[in-house]
């Protein structure tokens, strides 16, 4: 085993490490963005219904983000994207209901 083989092995292991780190960071970022959007939506709905203040709004957002980060931890990126698609479709359905309702 020469120095060329060792360098090749080092380069391939570094490449695999960067690839796995990038996928892991993307997964965490996707879960965080999903949680923030859903948390903000639910917190704003709760604020309009209950009339609570800014501190309660932030508290609800943090709780929803933490719960979704925990729930989505074992999901793959594809499953999270499908969940996001379903959430967007539900939001569009609610928006249509609000616009059409008298």
């Amino acid at each position: 085993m020469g120095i060329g083989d060792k360098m090749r092995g080092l380069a391939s292991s570094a490449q695999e490490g960067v690839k796995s780190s990038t996928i892991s960071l993307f997964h965490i970022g996707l879960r965080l963005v999903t949680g923030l959007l859903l948390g903000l939506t639910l917190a704003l709905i709760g604020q309009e219904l209950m009339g609570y203040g800014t501190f309660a709004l932030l508290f609800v957002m943090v709780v929803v983000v933490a719960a979704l980060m925990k729930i989505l931890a074992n999901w793959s990126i594809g499953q999270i994207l499908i969940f996001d698609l379903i959430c967007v479709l539900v939001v569009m359905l609610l928006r249509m209901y609000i616009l059409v309702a008298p």
Side-chain angles (χ1 to χ4, degrees):
M1 182 174 226
I3 190 141
D5 292 335
K6 288 183 183 178
M7 290 301 289
R8 200 172 304 120
L10 180 66
S12 70
S13 67
Q15 185 178 10
E16 287 297 319
V18 168
K19 179 181 176 183
S20 66
S21 297
T22 303
I23 291 173
S24 177
L25 285 175
F26 181 70
H27 189 256
I28 291 171
L30 186 63
R31 288 187 304 158
L32 186 65
V33 168
T34 299
L36 284 173
L37 289 176
L38 197 58
L40 178 64
T41 303
L42 293 177
L44 286 173
I45 289 171
Q47 189 178 30
E48 284 296 318
L49 291 177
M50 305 284 191
Y52 49 73
T54 305
F55 182 72
L57 176 89
L58 291 174
F59 179 74
V60 170
M61 277 185 61
V62 169
V63 167
V64 170
V65 168
L68 276 176
M69 290 289 282
K70 182 73 172 172
I71 291 170
L72 300 177
N74 296 328
W75 290 16
S76 69
I77 292 175
Q79 290 172 327
I80 295 174
L81 290 175
I82 291 173
F83 175 74
D84 288 343
L85 178 66
I86 291 170
C87 287
V88 167
L89 291 175
V90 167
V91 167
M92 289 177 68
L93 184 67
L94 288 173
R95 181 179 179 269
M96 183 184 68
Y97 173 73
I98 291 170
L99 291 175
V100 171

